[in-house]
Amino acid sequence: MSIGTFSLPALPYDYDALEPSISEEIMKLHHGKHHQAYVTNLNNALKTYSTAITDNDVPSQIALQAAIKFNGGGHINHSLFWKNLSPSSSADANPTSAPTLTAEIDKTWGSLDGFKEAMGKALLGLQGSGWGWLVKDGNTLRIVTTKDQDPVVGGEVPILGIDMWEHAYYLQYYNGKAAYVENIWKVINWATAEERFKGDREDAFKILKAAL
Amino acid sequence: MSSSLLRTTPLLRAGLRARAAKPLAAMATTSFTRGKATLPDLPYDYGALEPYISGQIMELHHSKHHQTYVNGFNAAVEALAEAEAKGDSKAAASQAPLLNFHGGGHVNHSLFWENLAPNGKGGGGEPEGKLLTAINQDFGSFENLKKQTNAALAGIQGSGWAWIVKDKASGNLTLVTRANQDPVTGNFEPLLGIDAWEHAYYLQYQNRKAEYFSAIWDVINWGTVAKRFGQ
């Protein structure tokens, strides 16, 4: 069985482009080291898994699933995350770039501020490492949280992901994660969110195939 | 950061002991009596574990993170008591995850601070006596214990802890990991805990967590471990 090798997708902006919301140092480590480690470990796990399939070694295949889920999830989540961030100076960072999505958000949470409040509560309520996501489930918008690097792969379309691992904010915000959550709204890429909202799951995950 | 400004009082290490939150007369008017958890003082200065763990990390970890668990635990205990007083089982049950997370965070960190000591002043070196005998028996060697613990720490997917525990039934030592702030409970007695949350090392080691896991052995207080082991 032949398998593809994933590679680290390039950031669609410079490391310092999200300042002052997210510092250059954080972005460099987060993309260049953390995301890279998920990619490297995913490739290693898939390679071993491929051998286990060739060898009909089912116990090894099962044992590898945790590593595939964790590192594959880390790769998926970060790939989605970079794309749903944008320098605040860009028009993409303005919610008016997502007219269809924000209309649906208004219907669900009353207003954009109502959504941000609900999302903030979910993000700050995470116990340990994890992510908060705005997802489209059928025709319904929902906020979900996932632990560690569990990806949103249950049939929902991920529209907007926010990384709540400490490595995503600690060098700049320390234990003040509420300030990180407040500031990340300034660098959300609403154009990407609109595109994902209008598309389906395949569209949202196409970036992964591109990283093969 | 001047460590002299960060001096803590080593005598006040009573965080896990309950302290009366209200005067007795006031408590008599409520349907429950309890104390509030408080942040225990560190048994050493914030800068005392350098260069293995920086003073900045220790200060934030103790005065901010641990304090937040203490506050969260007290809030959850209070909410539980209120729900119980009202006979609201649903509200009481909804406190369970918060009790586990914040209560676990308080318990884990309280155990952790005492597991550490400045290098050469109770920290580092090697376990001795019956503890060493047990380590050799259950892990093969002290080196092997460190190797296995470091591998377990590196394998934690997300936030969590690794613990050397004593199995209460057999008396044997074993290595376990716990997710997030899940405390070690049940048949295991926690002897040595190592915090693998990113806030425990990130300001100094960033993504190089293996370096933190390697360095922390230089500040492990084996006296505490031996005492918990029952030596």
Side-chain angles (χ1 to χ4, degrees), chain B residues 155-171:
Chain B
I156 291 173
Q157 298 182 334
S159 303
W161 293 72
W163 295 91
I164 304 289
V165 300
K166 183 167 86 170
D167 186 313
K168 287 177 189 168
S170 67

Side-chain angles (χ1 to χ4, degrees), chain B residues 137-152:
Chain B
Q137 206 172 343
D138 297 327
F139 289 90
S141 67
F142 175 50
E143 276 310 307
N144 221 21
L145 172 140
K146 290 198 280 187
K147 215 171 120 185
Q148 285 182 31
T149 306
N150 287 354

Side-chain angles (χ1 to χ4, degrees), chain A residues 18-86:
Chain A
L18 304 182
E19 292 212 1
S21 286
I22 306 176
S23 75
E24 177 178 12
E25 191 187 9
I26 288 178
M27 290 302 293
K28 269 185 178 166
L29 284 162
H30 202 171
H31 177 260
K33 301 291 182 183
H34 290 277
H35 190 170
Q36 180 64 62
Y38 292 117
V39 169
T40 303
N41 293 331
L42 173 64
N43 286 332
N44 289 341
L46 289 175
K47 201 174 156 194
T48 315
Y49 190 75
S50 164
T51 308
I53 288 182
T54 309
D55 295 348
N56 288 317
D57 181 355
V58 176
S60 291
Q61 290 170 36
I62 293 168
L64 280 160
Q65 282 168 14
I68 292 170
K69 183 175 183 181
F70 182 66
N71 294 296
H75 178 43
I76 290 173
N77 292 338
H78 286 92
S79 298
L80 291 167
F81 183 54
W82 308 134
K83 287 271 190 188
N84 68 223
L85 297 178
S86 157

Side-chain angles (χ1 to χ4, degrees), chain A residues 29 33-34 66-67 70 127-129 148 165-167 170-171 174-175, chain B residues 56 60 64-65 97 101 157-159 180 197-199 202-203 206-207:
Chain A
L29 284 162
K33 301 291 182 183
H34 290 277
F70 182 66
Q127 297 184 337
S129 303
D148 304 325
W165 278 60
E166 290 178 317
H167 66 234
Y170 207 83
L171 291 179
Y174 311 108
N175 60 302
Chain B
Q56 189 190 13
L60 283 163
K64 302 292 183 186
H65 290 277
F101 183 66
Q157 298 182 334
S159 303
N180 302 322
W197 278 61
E198 290 178 321
H199 67 234
Y202 206 83
L203 292 178
Q206 290 91 41
N207 63 303

